Amino acid sequence: NYGSSPKLLLICFFFRGFSQDEEPRGTSLQRTMSRPTGKSIYMQRKEYAETLNRQQDTLNARVEHLLTCELDGHLLKTVEDCVAKLRRLEAKGRLWPQNMIMDVQGPFLVLSDIETKAELESIPLSYITQTKSLEDNGSDDNSLLIITVQDRNKRVPQVFMFQCEETSGDIVKADLDKAVQRGGGGDLEPFREHSDIRSNLENIIGLQAAGGFRPPVPQSPEYNRRLPPPDFMSPQWNNREPGTAVCLRKT
C-alpha cells in the first residue's frame, strides 16, 4: 500500500511547494506598502516650492580664507594686484589658509570657526563695496571669492580672498550681493548690543561650578587648521633688541 508509506508522503510534501493559496512571508506586508501616487508626489513638491518662495536666499557656505590684503595705493593698487600677490605666495608655498563658515547675521557678514562656531570676524554689510568671483585654475568647482571692504575706521580698503570648493563662488557672490542690498544700510548698534548680551550669556554658561572657566575643547585630528609655512616667524623673535645673542647649551 503506497499511500500509507511514510517515505512516499515525505517525498510528495517536498515536491509539493507552495499552493496557490499560500504566499511567501512578507508578501502581504509589501502589498500594504503601496507606492506614492503621482498626485501625492506633485502636491508635496508644490508645498515644498511654496516654502522656498516664502524664504529669502540666505548665505551659509563653507569657505577657505586664503589672504587679506590692503590697497595701499603703492604696491597694491587694484584687486588684480592682490590676486597676483596671492598667486606668487601660493607658488612659493607661503599661504596659511583656514577653513571657516561664512554666513549673514543681521547687518553683518560673519566668519565663524567650523568646529567651535566661535566668531572669527564680523564685517558690516554696509562696508562691502565690491564682490568678485574668479575661476581658480579653470575649474568651475574651485573658484575664488574676492570681497573688498572699506572700514570707516581705516584709511585704505581691505581685500579678502576666499577659496570656494563645496559651493561655487558665483553662487556665494550672488547670495552675498542680495544680503548687501537688503541689509547694507541697517543700523549696526542694536545688533551689536544684542550680540554682546549673547556673548556674555555664553561666557556665563561656560563657567564651572567652582568659578573657573571650562577647559578648551581639544581639536579633532580631522579638523583642517593648517600649520603656518615653515619660514613663519613668531612675533617675539622680531622684538629682540639688535645685537642680542641666543645661546644654545648642549646637554
Side-chain angles (χ1 to χ4, degrees):
N1 187 2
Y2 293 98
S4 61
S5 174
K7 294 183 179 180
L8 184 59
L9 290 175
L10 180 60
I11 292 174
C12 292
F13 179 80
F14 180 79
F15 286 101
R16 177 169 171 265
F18 294 103
S19 66
Q20 294 180 355
D21 298 333
E22 294 178 350
E23 294 180 346
R25 183 177 300 176
T27 304
S28 59
L29 179 62
Q30 292 176 359
R31 287 185 176 180
T32 59
M33 299 176 61
S34 59
R35 182 182 182 274
T37 64
K39 178 69 173 179
S40 63
I41 295 176
Y42 179 79
M43 296 305 297
Q44 293 178 18
R45 293 180 57 251
K46 183 178 180 180
E47 183 179 356
Y48 175 69
E50 292 175 353
T51 303
L52 293 180
N53 292 331
R54 289 193 299 266
Q55 294 177 348
Q56 294 180 339
D57 294 332
T58 57
L59 171 60
N60 187 295
R62 177 169 176 166
V63 297
E64 187 177 33
H65 178 241
L66 302 177
L67 187 66
T68 299
C69 298
E70 290 188 349
L71 297 179
D72 55 10
H74 301 286
L75 297 177
L76 301 176
K77 299 180 180 180
T78 63
V79 171
E80 288 71 21
D81 294 339
C82 297
V83 175
K85 179 178 181 179
L86 174 70
R87 299 302 188 195
R88 291 194 301 268
L89 295 175
E90 183 180 17
K92 297 177 181 179
R94 298 183 62 186
L95 287 181
W96 188 1
Q98 181 181 0
N99 285 331
M100 56 188 63
I101 297 295
M102 174 187 292
D103 68 339
V104 172
Q105 299 179 15
F108 290 93
L109 177 66
V110 179
L111 304 176
S112 305
D113 184 88
I114 290 180
E115 186 169 292
T116 64
K117 310 304 180 183
E119 182 180 301
L120 304 176
E121 187 156 2
S122 180
I123 303 172
L125 294 173
S126 58
Y127 289 3
I128 297 177
T129 59
Q130 183 184 17
T131 61
K132 192 172 185 179
S133 176
L134 296 176
E135 291 185 2
D136 189 11
N137 298 327
S139 174
D140 295 336
D141 298 330
N142 196 8
S143 53
L144 287 176
L145 175 66
I146 306 171
I147 303 175
T148 304
V149 177
Q150 177 60 71
D151 192 331
R152 298 172 184 173
N153 300 321
K154 294 185 178 181
R155 183 178 58 88
V156 297
Q158 290 181 301
V159 178
F160 292 78
M161 287 174 281
F162 303 88
Q163 182 169 282
C164 304
E165 296 180 356
E166 296 182 355
T167 306
S168 171
D170 291 336
I171 297 177
V172 179
K173 176 185 181 302
D175 290 342
L176 178 57
D177 290 342
K178 292 178 182 179
V180 171
Q181 293 175 3
R182 291 195 302 261
D187 190 5
L188 305 181
E189 294 304 324
F191 189 86
R192 280 177 175 169
E193 293 177 359
H194 176 73
S195 299
D196 292 339
I197 295 174
R198 182 181 62 183
S199 178
N200 293 334
L201 289 175
E202 291 175 352
N203 292 334
I204 294 174
I205 294 174
L207 292 175
Q208 294 181 342
F213 284 97
R214 184 168 47 189
V217 179
Q219 304 292 345
S220 60
E222 294 80 12
Y223 181 59
N224 185 14
R225 179 175 290 147
R226 301 184 183 179
L227 295 176
D231 58 348
F232 179 79
M233 185 174 292
S234 58
Q236 59 265 27
W237 291 94
N238 296 331
N239 295 331
R240 284 194 324 211
E241 295 295 333
T244 304
V246 177
C247 299
L248 299 177
R249 179 177 299 176
K250 186 176 181 181
T251 58

mmCIF file of all heavy atoms in Angstrom, residues 95-127:
data_model
loop_
_atom_site.group_PDB
_atom_site.id
_atom_site.type_symbol
_atom_site.label_atom_id
_atom_site.label_comp_id
_atom_site.label_asym_id
_atom_site.label_seq_id
_atom_site.Cartn_x
_atom_site.Cartn_y
_atom_site.Cartn_z
ATOM 1 N N LEU A 95 51.330 80.442 1.747
ATOM 2 C CA LEU A 95 49.981 80.751 2.219
ATOM 3 C C LEU A 95 49.676 79.971 3.496
ATOM 4 O O LEU A 95 50.156 78.863 3.698
ATOM 5 C CB LEU A 95 48.949 80.385 1.146
ATOM 6 C CG LEU A 95 48.882 81.290 -0.087
ATOM 7 C CD1 LEU A 95 47.804 80.794 -1.030
ATOM 8 C CD2 LEU A 95 48.644 82.747 0.290
ATOM 9 N N TRP A 96 48.839 80.562 4.343
ATOM 10 C CA TRP A 96 48.388 79.911 5.574
ATOM 11 C C TRP A 96 46.863 79.978 5.594
ATOM 12 O O TRP A 96 46.261 80.790 6.286
ATOM 13 C CB TRP A 96 48.984 80.615 6.797
ATOM 14 C CG TRP A 96 48.716 79.888 8.088
ATOM 15 C CD1 TRP A 96 48.049 78.716 8.267
ATOM 16 C CD2 TRP A 96 49.107 80.318 9.394
ATOM 17 N NE1 TRP A 96 48.012 78.374 9.583
ATOM 18 C CE2 TRP A 96 48.654 79.341 10.311
ATOM 19 C CE3 TRP A 96 49.793 81.421 9.884
ATOM 20 C CZ2 TRP A 96 48.855 79.437 11.675
ATOM 21 C CZ3 TRP A 96 49.994 81.524 11.245
ATOM 22 C CH2 TRP A 96 49.546 80.544 12.135
ATOM 23 N N PRO A 97 46.193 79.119 4.839
ATOM 24 C CA PRO A 97 44.725 79.181 4.754
ATOM 25 C C PRO A 97 44.050 78.551 5.960
ATOM 26 O O PRO A 97 44.676 77.809 6.729
ATOM 27 C CB PRO A 97 44.423 78.386 3.473
ATOM 28 C CG PRO A 97 45.548 77.412 3.373
ATOM 29 C CD PRO A 97 46.760 78.078 3.966
ATOM 30 N N GLN A 98 42.766 78.840 6.117
ATOM 31 C CA GLN A 98 41.969 78.288 7.211
ATOM 32 C C GLN A 98 40.528 78.129 6.754
ATOM 33 O O GLN A 98 39.925 79.059 6.215
ATOM 34 C CB GLN A 98 42.025 79.193 8.452
ATOM 35 C CG GLN A 98 41.231 78.658 9.642
ATOM 36 C CD GLN A 98 41.278 79.589 10.832
ATOM 37 O OE1 GLN A 98 41.909 80.644 10.786
ATOM 38 N NE2 GLN A 98 40.607 79.214 11.910
ATOM 39 N N ASN A 99 39.956 76.961 6.979
ATOM 40 C CA ASN A 99 38.556 76.707 6.659
ATOM 41 C C ASN A 99 37.664 77.382 7.692
ATOM 42 O O ASN A 99 37.980 77.400 8.886
ATOM 43 C CB ASN A 99 38.263 75.208 6.628
ATOM 44 C CG ASN A 99 38.815 74.546 5.386
ATOM 45 O OD1 ASN A 99 38.934 75.178 4.341
ATOM 46 N ND2 ASN A 99 39.159 73.279 5.489
ATOM 47 N N MET A 100 36.533 77.911 7.231
ATOM 48 C CA MET A 100 35.590 78.594 8.118
ATOM 49 C C MET A 100 34.221 78.632 7.482
ATOM 50 O O MET A 100 34.056 78.285 6.299
ATOM 51 C CB MET A 100 36.086 80.012 8.432
ATOM 52 C CG MET A 100 36.338 80.872 7.229
ATOM 53 S SD MET A 100 37.159 82.451 7.674
ATOM 54 C CE MET A 100 38.714 81.874 8.345
ATOM 55 N N ILE A 101 33.236 79.054 8.267
ATOM 56 C CA ILE A 101 31.870 79.210 7.786
ATOM 57 C C ILE A 101 31.591 80.687 7.552
ATOM 58 O O ILE A 101 31.849 81.527 8.413
ATOM 59 C CB ILE A 101 30.855 78.646 8.796
ATOM 60 C CG1 ILE A 101 31.059 77.146 8.969
ATOM 61 C CG2 ILE A 101 29.432 78.931 8.353
ATOM 62 C CD1 ILE A 101 30.779 76.327 7.738
ATOM 63 N N MET A 102 31.061 81.000 6.390
ATOM 64 C CA MET A 102 30.661 82.372 6.051
ATOM 65 C C MET A 102 29.136 82.432 6.000
ATOM 66 O O MET A 102 28.506 81.691 5.250
ATOM 67 C CB MET A 102 31.253 82.786 4.703
ATOM 68 C CG MET A 102 30.762 84.149 4.204
ATOM 69 S SD MET A 102 31.312 84.521 2.516
ATOM 70 C CE MET A 102 33.086 84.699 2.788
ATOM 71 N N ASP A 103 28.545 83.288 6.820
ATOM 72 C CA ASP A 103 27.101 83.461 6.784
ATOM 73 C C ASP A 103 26.748 84.889 7.133
ATOM 74 O O ASP A 103 27.597 85.680 7.544
ATOM 75 C CB ASP A 103 26.392 82.469 7.713
ATOM 76 C CG ASP A 103 26.675 82.752 9.191
ATOM 77 O OD1 ASP A 103 27.678 83.419 9.475
ATOM 78 O OD2 ASP A 103 25.899 82.304 10.043
ATOM 79 N N VAL A 104 25.478 85.222 6.939
ATOM 80 C CA VAL A 104 24.976 86.570 7.203
ATOM 81 C C VAL A 104 24.117 86.516 8.449
ATOM 82 O O VAL A 104 23.192 85.709 8.556
ATOM 83 C CB VAL A 104 24.167 87.105 6.009
ATOM 84 C CG1 VAL A 104 23.490 88.424 6.370
ATOM 85 C CG2 VAL A 104 25.064 87.279 4.799
ATOM 86 N N GLN A 105 24.440 87.384 9.404
ATOM 87 C CA GLN A 105 23.676 87.503 10.646
ATOM 88 C C GLN A 105 23.292 88.969 10.812
ATOM 89 O O GLN A 105 24.129 89.809 11.150
ATOM 90 C CB GLN A 105 24.493 87.019 11.845
ATOM 91 C CG GLN A 105 24.915 85.559 11.765
ATOM 92 C CD GLN A 105 25.731 85.114 12.958
ATOM 93 O OE1 GLN A 105 25.763 85.791 13.987
ATOM 94 N NE2 GLN A 105 26.416 83.986 12.841
ATOM 95 N N GLY A 106 22.024 89.252 10.539
ATOM 96 C CA GLY A 106 21.581 90.641 10.621
ATOM 97 C C GLY A 106 22.319 91.496 9.606
ATOM 98 O O GLY A 106 22.440 91.137 8.438
ATOM 99 N N PRO A 107 22.857 92.639 10.018
ATOM 100 C CA PRO A 107 23.581 93.507 9.084
ATOM 101 C C PRO A 107 25.066 93.180 8.985
ATOM 102 O O PRO A 107 25.860 94.029 8.573
ATOM 103 C CB PRO A 107 23.370 94.891 9.706
ATOM 104 C CG PRO A 107 23.298 94.623 11.167
ATOM 105 C CD PRO A 107 22.646 93.278 11.324
ATOM 106 N N PHE A 108 25.472 91.965 9.358
ATOM 107 C CA PHE A 108 26.886 91.607 9.366
ATOM 108 C C PHE A 108 27.146 90.368 8.525
ATOM 109 O O PHE A 108 26.316 89.449 8.467
ATOM 110 C CB PHE A 108 27.379 91.327 10.796
ATOM 111 C CG PHE A 108 27.462 92.545 11.670
ATOM 112 C CD1 PHE A 108 26.405 92.909 12.472
ATOM 113 C CD2 PHE A 108 28.599 93.325 11.682
ATOM 114 C CE1 PHE A 108 26.478 94.028 13.281
ATOM 115 C CE2 PHE A 108 28.692 94.450 12.484
ATOM 116 C CZ PHE A 108 27.626 94.807 13.285
ATOM 117 N N LEU A 109 28.299 90.341 7.892
ATOM 118 C CA LEU A 109 28.858 89.128 7.306
ATOM 119 C C LEU A 109 29.804 88.543 8.344
ATOM 120 O O LEU A 109 30.788 89.180 8.728
ATOM 121 C CB LEU A 109 29.627 89.448 6.016
ATOM 122 C CG LEU A 109 30.325 88.263 5.347
ATOM 123 C CD1 LEU A 109 29.315 87.263 4.822
ATOM 124 C CD2 LEU A 109 31.243 88.737 4.219
ATOM 125 N N VAL A 110 29.511 87.332 8.801
ATOM 126 C CA VAL A 110 30.224 86.739 9.926
ATOM 127 C C VAL A 110 31.038 85.547 9.439
ATOM 128 O O VAL A 110 30.532 84.693 8.698
ATOM 129 C CB VAL A 110 29.241 86.298 11.030
ATOM 130 C CG1 VAL A 110 30.002 85.667 12.195
ATOM 131 C CG2 VAL A 110 28.433 87.499 11.520
ATOM 132 N N LEU A 111 32.290 85.499 9.867
ATOM 133 C CA LEU A 111 33.177 84.362 9.625
ATOM 134 C C LEU A 111 33.317 83.619 10.946
ATOM 135 O O LEU A 111 33.711 84.211 11.951
ATOM 136 C CB LEU A 111 34.540 84.832 9.117
ATOM 137 C CG LEU A 111 34.512 85.702 7.856
ATOM 138 C CD1 LEU A 111 35.920 86.186 7.513
ATOM 139 C CD2 LEU A 111 33.902 84.950 6.696
ATOM 140 N N SER A 112 33.005 82.311 10.947
ATOM 141 C CA SER A 112 32.973 81.532 12.182
ATOM 142 C C SER A 112 33.843 80.295 12.048
ATOM 143 O O SER A 112 34.032 79.756 10.950
ATOM 144 C CB SER A 112 31.538 81.113 12.522
ATOM 145 O OG SER A 112 30.682 82.233 12.585
ATOM 146 N N ASP A 113 34.346 79.841 13.197
ATOM 147 C CA ASP A 113 35.115 78.612 13.265
ATOM 148 C C ASP A 113 34.195 77.430 12.952
ATOM 149 O O ASP A 113 33.049 77.377 13.419
ATOM 150 C CB ASP A 113 35.735 78.455 14.649
ATOM 151 C CG ASP A 113 36.623 77.237 14.758
ATOM 152 O OD1 ASP A 113 37.817 77.341 14.457
ATOM 153 O OD2 ASP A 113 36.105 76.162 15.141
ATOM 154 N N ILE A 114 34.686 76.486 12.173
ATOM 155 C CA ILE A 114 33.852 75.367 11.739
ATOM 156 C C ILE A 114 33.467 74.475 12.904
ATOM 157 O O ILE A 114 32.316 74.045 13.032
ATOM 158 C CB ILE A 114 34.582 74.550 10.648
ATOM 159 C CG1 ILE A 114 34.660 75.360 9.367
ATOM 160 C CG2 ILE A 114 33.873 73.225 10.391
ATOM 161 C CD1 ILE A 114 35.355 74.650 8.242
ATOM 162 N N GLU A 115 34.395 74.196 13.792
ATOM 163 C CA GLU A 115 34.147 73.223 14.855
ATOM 164 C C GLU A 115 33.489 73.851 16.073
ATOM 165 O O GLU A 115 32.482 73.348 16.568
ATOM 166 C CB GLU A 115 35.458 72.553 15.262
ATOM 167 C CG GLU A 115 35.283 71.416 16.254
ATOM 168 C CD GLU A 115 36.552 70.609 16.424
ATOM 169 O OE1 GLU A 115 36.952 69.920 15.484
ATOM 170 O OE2 GLU A 115 37.151 70.691 17.508
ATOM 171 N N THR A 116 34.028 74.954 16.566
ATOM 172 C CA THR A 116 33.508 75.560 17.794
ATOM 173 C C THR A 116 32.406 76.581 17.534
ATOM 174 O O THR A 116 31.748 77.023 18.480
ATOM 175 C CB THR A 116 34.638 76.253 18.564
ATOM 176 O OG1 THR A 116 35.157 77.345 17.775
ATOM 177 C CG2 THR A 116 35.766 75.266 18.851
ATOM 178 N N LYS A 117 32.219 77.003 16.268
ATOM 179 C CA LYS A 117 31.235 78.018 15.885
ATOM 180 C C LYS A 117 31.564 79.384 16.467
ATOM 181 O O LYS A 117 30.722 80.290 16.446
ATOM 182 C CB LYS A 117 29.814 77.609 16.305
ATOM 183 C CG LYS A 117 29.408 76.206 15.886
ATOM 184 C CD LYS A 117 29.547 75.981 14.407
ATOM 185 C CE LYS A 117 29.133 74.568 14.019
ATOM 186 N NZ LYS A 117 29.337 74.298 12.569
ATOM 187 N N ALA A 118 32.774 79.560 16.980
ATOM 188 C CA ALA A 118 33.169 80.854 17.537
ATOM 189 C C ALA A 118 33.348 81.871 16.413
ATOM 190 O O ALA A 118 33.835 81.539 15.327
ATOM 191 C CB ALA A 118 34.461 80.714 18.339
ATOM 192 N N GLU A 119 32.975 83.107 16.692
ATOM 193 C CA GLU A 119 33.089 84.165 15.690
ATOM 194 C C GLU A 119 34.549 84.564 15.512
ATOM 195 O O GLU A 119 35.240 84.906 16.462
ATOM 196 C CB GLU A 119 32.249 85.358 16.121
ATOM 197 C CG GLU A 119 32.258 86.508 15.120
ATOM 198 C CD GLU A 119 31.416 87.679 15.581
ATOM 199 O OE1 GLU A 119 30.200 87.472 15.808
ATOM 200 O OE2 GLU A 119 31.971 88.788 15.744
ATOM 201 N N LEU A 120 35.009 84.529 14.271
ATOM 202 C CA LEU A 120 36.383 84.913 13.948
ATOM 203 C C LEU A 120 36.471 86.381 13.521
ATOM 204 O O LEU A 120 37.396 87.085 13.892
ATOM 205 C CB LEU A 120 36.935 84.016 12.840
ATOM 206 C CG LEU A 120 36.902 82.512 13.117
ATOM 207 C CD1 LEU A 120 37.396 81.732 11.906
ATOM 208 C CD2 LEU A 120 37.721 82.161 14.349
ATOM 209 N N GLU A 121 35.516 86.815 12.730
ATOM 210 C CA GLU A 121 35.492 88.206 12.279
ATOM 211 C C GLU A 121 34.076 88.550 11.851
ATOM 212 O O GLU A 121 33.339 87.701 11.340
ATOM 213 C CB GLU A 121 36.476 88.449 11.128
ATOM 214 C CG GLU A 121 36.596 89.902 10.747
ATOM 215 C CD GLU A 121 37.913 90.230 10.069
ATOM 216 O OE1 GLU A 121 38.723 89.307 9.870
ATOM 217 O OE2 GLU A 121 38.133 91.406 9.750
ATOM 218 N N SER A 122 33.722 89.801 12.085
ATOM 219 C CA SER A 122 32.398 90.285 11.730
ATOM 220 C C SER A 122 32.557 91.551 10.893
ATOM 221 O O SER A 122 33.177 92.524 11.335
ATOM 222 C CB SER A 122 31.580 90.562 12.995
ATOM 223 O OG SER A 122 30.305 91.039 12.680
ATOM 224 N N ILE A 123 32.000 91.530 9.687
ATOM 225 C CA ILE A 123 32.153 92.640 8.747
ATOM 226 C C ILE A 123 30.774 93.236 8.471
ATOM 227 O O ILE A 123 29.873 92.521 8.012
ATOM 228 C CB ILE A 123 32.779 92.161 7.426
ATOM 229 C CG1 ILE A 123 34.125 91.487 7.689
ATOM 230 C CG2 ILE A 123 32.932 93.321 6.450
ATOM 231 C CD1 ILE A 123 34.713 90.818 6.472
ATOM 232 N N PRO A 124 30.553 94.508 8.755
ATOM 233 C CA PRO A 124 29.264 95.122 8.412
ATOM 234 C C PRO A 124 29.017 95.044 6.904
ATOM 235 O O PRO A 124 29.915 95.309 6.096
ATOM 236 C CB PRO A 124 29.415 96.566 8.889
ATOM 237 C CG PRO A 124 30.485 96.513 9.940
ATOM 238 C CD PRO A 124 31.428 95.437 9.498
ATOM 239 N N LEU A 125 27.811 94.677 6.528
ATOM 240 C CA LEU A 125 27.477 94.582 5.109
ATOM 241 C C LEU A 125 27.606 95.940 4.416
ATOM 242 O O LEU A 125 27.910 96.007 3.224
ATOM 243 C CB LEU A 125 26.057 94.037 4.944
ATOM 244 C CG LEU A 125 25.833 92.584 5.393
ATOM 245 C CD1 LEU A 125 24.343 92.246 5.323
ATOM 246 C CD2 LEU A 125 26.650 91.614 4.563
ATOM 247 N N SER A 126 27.381 97.013 5.167
ATOM 248 C CA SER A 126 27.482 98.351 4.576
ATOM 249 C C SER A 126 28.924 98.719 4.235
ATOM 250 O O SER A 126 29.149 99.664 3.476
ATOM 251 C CB SER A 126 26.898 99.386 5.534
ATOM 252 O OG SER A 126 27.579 99.354 6.782
ATOM 253 N N TYR A 127 29.892 97.982 4.764
ATOM 254 C CA TYR A 127 31.295 98.254 4.461
ATOM 255 C C TYR A 127 31.752 97.555 3.181
ATOM 256 O O TYR A 127 32.841 97.845 2.674
ATOM 257 C CB TYR A 127 32.191 97.791 5.609
ATOM 258 C CG TYR A 127 32.096 98.627 6.875
ATOM 259 C CD1 TYR A 127 31.202 99.680 6.984
ATOM 260 C CD2 TYR A 127 32.913 98.354 7.969
ATOM 261 C CE1 TYR A 127 31.109 100.435 8.134
ATOM 262 C CE2 TYR A 127 32.840 99.111 9.127
ATOM 263 C CZ TYR A 127 31.934 100.142 9.215
ATOM 264 O OH TYR A 127 31.858 100.882 10.369
#
